[in-house]
Amino acid sequence: MSKVAHYLQEHLVGEVMTSTDARRYFATDASILQLAPAIIVYPRNENDVRKAARFTWQLAERGRVIPITARGSGTDQAGGALGNGVMLVFPAHMNRLLELDTKSNTVTVEPGINYGKLQQTLHTHGRFLPPYPTSLEYSTVGGAVANNASGEKSVKYGDTSAFVRGLRVVLANGEVIETRRLNKRELSKKLGLATFEGEIYRSIDTLLEEQKMLVERLQLSTVRNNAGYNLSDIKHKDGSFDLTPLFVGSQGTLGIITEAVLSTEPHNPQTTLMMASFDSLEHLQQAVLALRELSDGPSAMELIDGPALEQINRLNPNQLKDVLEAPYPNAVLLVEFDSGDKQAKKQAKQADKIFEQYAIDVQAATEPEQQQKFWKLREAIGSWIGHNEGLLRSVPLIDDAAVPPDQLRAYLEGIYKLLDHNNLKTAVWGHAGEARLHIQPKLNLGQVGDRQKAFRIIEEHRKLVTDLSGTLSAAVGDGRLRTPFLPEFYGADVYALLTKIKQIFDPYNTLNPGVKFGTSIDDIKEMIRTEYGLNHLYDHLPRN
Ligand SMILES: Cc1cc2nc3c(=O)[nH]c(=O)nc-3n(C[C@H](O)[C@H](O)[C@H](O)COP(=O)(O)OP(=O)(O)OC[C@H]3O[C@@H](n4cnc5c(N)ncnc54)[C@H](O)[C@@H]3O)c2cc1C
């Protein structure tokens, strides 16, 4: 064990490990990359996190930089949960629900709490956390906050940042801060602090004042964007100020979250679900745009494309039985309304009118049994991506991009062209209401040819999304995989602004380095796995 590991073992309550097995286990997340940590720490409390950060800060002051990476369940698909220094693994101990406040309808949790378990608890109180990711059963709330996760309900309710009321964060130097929205008076107190926290408030406040034009350029016309940092929601017109939105989505690069306060929404399990089939992508787009205009619109608007249906049918025809029959349409949209019985019925009628104009078939379900059959279409994708064809695996290379909703058709057509020209067949599915799509082509990363193809696809997809004014990091952050593209994506001056933000919080670059900054395509080539798999998640599958 190294001297650093010895020091941590001596001073922390939580376990410290450096075994080859443990390092190998944490060398992968759900991305195509691998990078082994030197030391794994299972913090037992905030003090452990504080001490680990303080120690790496002191070493960095003396010129020795040891990265520190926070980790939830490691389901990040872009390599955000990988690091080669100290890895702080939260689900082991820091996994408690600290408070469920039925008056303010908020929950306070430690970062390692399993999202699915928290959701179950909330359901028993008639509440829920709407921006849950599809991976909720096997991922943490801390990971969702650090990634600003979003999911099927986000089209109506928004992403995680819309629900985070406040955070406790360990800064790079081990100082602990609490964030929430501050009024002008509270802000001026923070600005006067003689601590690292005070320095951060002063620097960020000045930067936002000086760089308003650049901050505006971070706002895209996509519904969601997690590329870089969210600088737009820190300071409001009324002068109030909140660092929370900056930490949300920052992927452990600005601070380590040790507690989060989240607001919840009433949970209405009685929904109306509609399934509409389309033979034209133009009609699909028109329907999506019209549905987005409905007041208090759909609570989900999920897309499954025709090739996905064919792949599912090829794998197991029973999965589509009683729901859809071949020949399959070019696209199916699942549209859910959850606004209570009367309102949902009214909305379903409005949706019906839209579908009359654009869809070739529409069915509605209010009974859970029938609804489950419809949702099975979406869930069946999980078994298809989990299905290995020889050495071919579904790989998340170009997952998680989004374009403005009025470019949905162009995006789909561009993807089909890209797949065609690379001789690939794959399913495309995702959140149509946000024009945010999932695409996981099947490749054998052990083969040089397929690895080359992977980089070609990444580049062609990057160009397609950029040409359509989209974002490569829509639901979650850039991780390592998309970091090489950030400078060109935003342009040099905006990227310089993002770099300044990083330097303010993390002057020695100890917090998850390589994520959002400092990873090149050549680094990615070095880190790419030769065999892709999700072994450490299989306890909780199915996935989709
Ligand atoms: C099959 C599948 C489906 C998915 N579906 C979705 C989806 O629908 N929507 C979506 O948004 N994502 C999705 N994801 C991505 C991922 O599962 C989610 O973003 C999830 O919320 C990450 O949680 P985690 O606990 O696994 O975090 P990890 O992967 O462990 O970490 C994610 C990031 O957060 C940082 N982090 C973790 N804990 C902390 C902390 N305490 N402090 C600071 N930083 C921290 C990590 O360093 C890393 O950068 C999916 C992934 C898979 C494999």
Side-chain angles (χ1 to χ4, degrees), residues 259-533:
E259 231 174 85
V261 183
L262 301 138
S263 60
T264 62
E265 285 286 323
H267 179 234
N268 174 18
Q270 275 172 346
T271 58
T272 300
L273 184 63
M274 303 178 87
M275 184 180 74
S277 302
F278 297 85
D279 61 358
S280 129
L281 296 182
E282 176 58 27
H283 285 168
L284 167 75
Q285 174 172 301
Q286 292 307 329
V288 166
L289 294 176
L291 288 162
R292 279 181 55 82
E293 293 298 314
L294 293 183
S295 67
D296 192 23
S299 49
M301 227 197 281
E302 298 289 288
L303 167 79
I304 304 114
D305 81 340
L309 297 169
E310 272 156 31
Q311 305 285 356
I312 294 166
N313 183 53
R314 190 168 59 86
L315 193 64
N316 178 0
N318 283 339
Q319 299 202 77
L320 300 180
K321 214 174 95 191
D322 303 336
V323 188
L324 275 179
E325 277 179 18
Y328 299 115
N330 283 336
V332 166
L333 208 52
L334 294 176
V335 178
E336 182 198 74
F337 296 100
D338 72 347
S339 303
D341 230 18
K342 239 174 147 186
Q343 173 71 353
K345 276 192 185 136
K346 195 175 137 205
Q347 288 169 317
K349 267 194 187 160
Q350 291 170 323
D352 232 352
K353 282 204 176 131
I354 295 171
F355 292 138
E356 257 173 39
Q357 204 177 343
Y358 299 114
I360 51 169
D361 183 52
V362 59
Q363 298 176 49
T366 46
E367 294 306 315
E369 216 170 281
Q370 184 62 12
Q371 292 188 346
Q372 266 164 22
K373 279 190 180 168
F374 288 3
W375 279 123
K376 223 177 150 192
L377 283 186
R378 175 76 166 79
E379 284 152 16
I381 293 195
S383 51
W384 179 75
I385 52 177
H387 176 73
N388 302 334
E389 295 186 7
L391 293 172
L392 297 175
R393 305 277 184 279
S394 297
V395 285
L397 292 175
I398 51 173
D399 222 42
D400 198 31
V403 296
D406 61 1
Q407 298 295 330
L408 176 63
R409 171 191 166 175
Y411 186 28
L412 279 163
E413 284 173 350
I415 288 166
Y416 292 142
K417 223 164 129 188
L418 181 160
L419 292 171
D420 214 37
H421 136 87
N422 284 290
N423 274 327
L424 289 166
K425 261 203 176 139
T426 192
V428 177
W429 73 102
H431 314 283
E434 302 177 350
R436 172 156 76 83
L437 301 181
H438 295 293
I439 313 142
Q440 299 198 4
K442 287 205 192 284
L443 293 171
N444 172 7
L445 294 179
Q447 239 183 33
V448 179
D450 271 14
R451 280 209 298 278
Q452 285 168 342
K453 196 184 259 189
F455 284 99
R456 204 164 57 233
I457 295 168
I458 289 175
E459 177 49 29
E460 286 174 14
H461 179 254
R462 183 197 66 76
K463 189 167 180 323
L464 170 68
V465 171
T466 318
D467 287 350
L468 294 173
S469 306
T471 172
L472 294 172
S473 299
V476 298
D478 310 285
R480 288 168 185 274
L481 190 63
R482 296 187 283 265
T483 286
F485 307 114
L486 260 184
E488 197 185 325
F489 178 68
Y490 278 127
D493 41 4
V494 174
Y495 191 68
L497 172 66
L498 297 175
T499 311
K500 270 189 199 147
I501 298 284
K502 169 74 172 171
Q503 282 162 351
I504 289 167
F505 283 88
D506 188 19
Y508 295 115
N509 200 24
T510 49
L511 295 176
N512 219 3
V515 171
K516 294 191 185 279
F517 305 93
T519 295
S520 65
I521 289 281
D522 283 343
D523 296 330
I524 299 284
K525 284 182 180 161
E526 295 241 316
M527 278 188 274
I528 197 161
R529 288 155 80 170
T530 47
E531 196 180 332
Y532 180 71

Side-chain angles (χ1 to χ4, degrees), residues 107 115 118-119 122 127-132 141 163 262-264:
V107 280
Y115 205 126
L118 175 64
Q119 197 76 303
L122 289 171
R127 313 286 304 177
F128 82 128
L129 256 174
Y132 60 87
V141 174
F163 294 86
L262 301 138
S263 60
T264 62

Side-chain angles (χ1 to χ4, degrees), residues 70 72-76 80 134-135 138 140 143-144 146-147 149-150 251-252 257 476 512:
S73 302
T75 63
D76 193 283
T134 318
S135 54
Y138 46 90
T140 66
N147 260 352
S150 56
Q251 300 195 293
I257 298 158
V476 298
N512 219 3

